Structure formats: C-alpha cells, structure tokens
Amino acid sequence: MTTCALTDCWTMTRRELAHWARQPGQLLVALVFPVMLLLMFGYLIGGGRGVHGHYVDYLVPGMLALTMAFGLEGTMLAVTQDLTKGVIDRFRSLPMADGAVLVGRSAADMLQSAAALALTAAVAYALGWRAHGGPGAFLAAAGLLLLFRFAMLWTGIHLALVAGRPEMVQAVQILVWPVGFLSNAIAARESMPQWLGTVVQWSPLSQTATAVRDLLGSPGGEPGHIWPAVLWPLALLAVFFPLAVRRFARLGR
C-alpha cells in the first residue's frame, strides 16, 4: 500500500514537472524573483540601520528566509485551477492514494524552492557575500530554510483549498506579505519601536533568519534560535498538513 502511494505521489510530481517544460516562463520568474529582491534591498533601497557589520552579510540570510516565505501563489493557483477545471474530480475517480495530488504538487514546489535558494546564494556569493560556518553549517542552514518553506507551502495549500477559486488566491496571498516583512529579514529589530521589535522577535521567519545567520556566521546571528526555527515550522505543519489533506479528502462528498 505504501509503495502504491509513493508511486502515485511520484506520478503527480512528474505531472507538475511536465508543466515546467510547457510553461518555462513561470519557472524563470520564480527563480529570478528572489534575486531581484536581493539586488533591490541590498543595492537599490539600501538600509542597515541597527545592523552591526556589513549590511549585505546581514541581508543575504534574511533574503534566503524571505524567499522561502514568498512565491506560494504558483502552487495555490495550480491547486485552485485543478479544482475549478474538474481535474481533481477526474483524479479522485482513479485508484489513487488520497492526497497524492497535493504531495506531488508540494514535491515539485520544493524542487523549485531548492533551485531558487541555490541561485540566490550563488548570486550573493558573486556579489561578495561569504558564509563563514563551514559546509556542515551551510547544509544545516539550507535544511532550516527548506523546512520553513515546506511549512509555508502546506499552509498555502490549505488556504488555496479554502479559497477554492483562482481569483481568490490573490486576496489570500496578500496575507503572506505581512508574515514576510513583519520580521528581521531586511531590518534589525533594534531599529524598530520596542512593541514592534517584540512582535518581530517571535516571528517564525525571524527565528529562521536568526538561526541561519548564526550558522553562517553573519551579523545578527544569535545562538539558541535553532530549536525555535525547527519547532515553528513543525507546529505549522502539525496544524495545516492534516487540515489540507482532510479538506481535500472531503471534496466532492
């Protein structure tokens, strides 16, 4: 049974990868967008108030974390389009494991996210940014970033199933922006009003960004944030993964 479920999930993953070949523009935009954010905040807008050290060294880990929070609309649109076009109903009529469509969609998104992470880090390296924690610390930081992405992804999938229609995705996606910018990704909390800095300090994205900075030896890194950076995504997954699977299973009943 488990083997059949894995086969179904892989089939759905290949379906999503085939969409990339037919619509490479969407993939290109998803990969270039985080690079544009990095260049815009690092060199066009600038900043660094409250940051001790070079701002780009502080910014890059935050932008990598921010990249994992943004870009969910592609997956959310794909889910809602499958719902409105009746594709989900056709899949549900097949002898397929429950949730294989969602798992396949999430697997394809994680591959895209890993590619965007690698490209953004490569561009940052070309611009002079360096990680100082060693290969093991770099892999641990990448793991934290992808775990955060996975949690955000299933949150987005659940919201897409709730929205139900592609035109509603934009309204739901707007909710992601406060989550991203209400953090220390691009500005140190020391530069903010005290009440705002307190909120920012406990943000899931801030915990991930701070832990990644600590692992990479960047300004703004503080010890003791790795466990919160793990527990926050696991808590989100514990809530939204079963909600998404349950809501998907109830479709059409």
Side-chain angles (χ1 to χ4, degrees):
M1 187 66 179
T2 302
T3 303
C4 292
L6 291 176
T7 301
D8 293 341
C9 292
W10 174 238
T11 299
M12 291 298 97
T13 302
R14 287 193 294 112
R15 170 180 176 260
E16 299 299 335
L17 296 179
H19 289 168
W20 292 0
R22 293 193 295 270
Q23 298 174 325
Q26 293 183 359
L27 176 61
L28 183 61
V29 169
L31 295 178
V32 172
F33 179 69
V35 175
M36 291 175 58
L37 285 180
L38 173 64
L39 296 175
M40 181 175 66
F41 284 107
Y43 294 97
L44 181 60
I45 297 177
R49 203 158 51 106
V51 175
H52 301 288
H54 199 271
Y55 180 58
V56 171
D57 291 338
Y58 175 90
L59 176 67
V60 170
M63 290 306 306
L64 294 177
L66 202 60
T67 297
M68 298 295 98
F70 286 173
L72 299 175
E73 66 273 9
T75 291
M76 295 171 69
L77 279 172
V79 172
T80 54
Q81 286 172 351
D82 282 348
L83 286 172
T84 56
K85 293 178 180 178
V87 175
I88 297 294
D89 292 334
R90 290 196 292 271
F91 284 145
R92 289 177 61 82
S93 67
L94 299 174
M96 181 183 297
D98 287 340
V101 175
L102 301 183
V103 173
R105 177 64 247 184
S106 65
D109 185 283
M110 290 302 293
L111 290 174
Q112 176 183 296
S113 300
L117 192 63
L119 178 61
T120 306
V123 171
Y125 188 88
L127 294 175
W129 170 75
R130 295 294 183 269
H132 304 289
F138 186 86
L139 291 176
L144 288 179
L145 290 165
L146 292 175
L147 176 62
F148 180 68
R149 175 62 175 191
F150 193 60
M152 292 297 295
L153 175 62
W154 279 95
T155 303
I157 288 175
H158 173 67
L159 293 176
L161 292 172
V162 171
R165 302 191 307 275
E167 58 268 24
M168 293 296 295
V169 168
Q170 184 175 5
V172 175
Q173 172 65 14
I174 292 174
L175 300 175
V176 178
W177 288 83
V179 174
F181 288 114
L182 196 62
S183 71
N184 64 2
I186 58 178
R189 63 183 177 86
E190 289 79 8
S191 66
M192 306 174 187
Q194 185 175 359
W195 66 269
L196 183 59
T198 301
V199 174
V200 163
Q201 182 180 7
W202 293 102
S203 161
L205 196 150
S206 292
Q207 296 296 329
T208 296
T210 303
V212 169
R213 289 182 177 119
D214 183 45
L215 287 167
L216 300 182
S218 300
E222 299 174 5
H225 287 263
I226 292 180
W227 278 114
V230 171
L231 293 177
W232 259 117
L234 291 181
L236 292 172
L237 283 171
V239 173
F240 289 104
F241 181 86
L243 284 177
V245 173
R246 190 178 302 121
R247 190 171 187 89
F248 178 81
R250 291 176 178 174
L251 292 176
R253 291 184 180 177

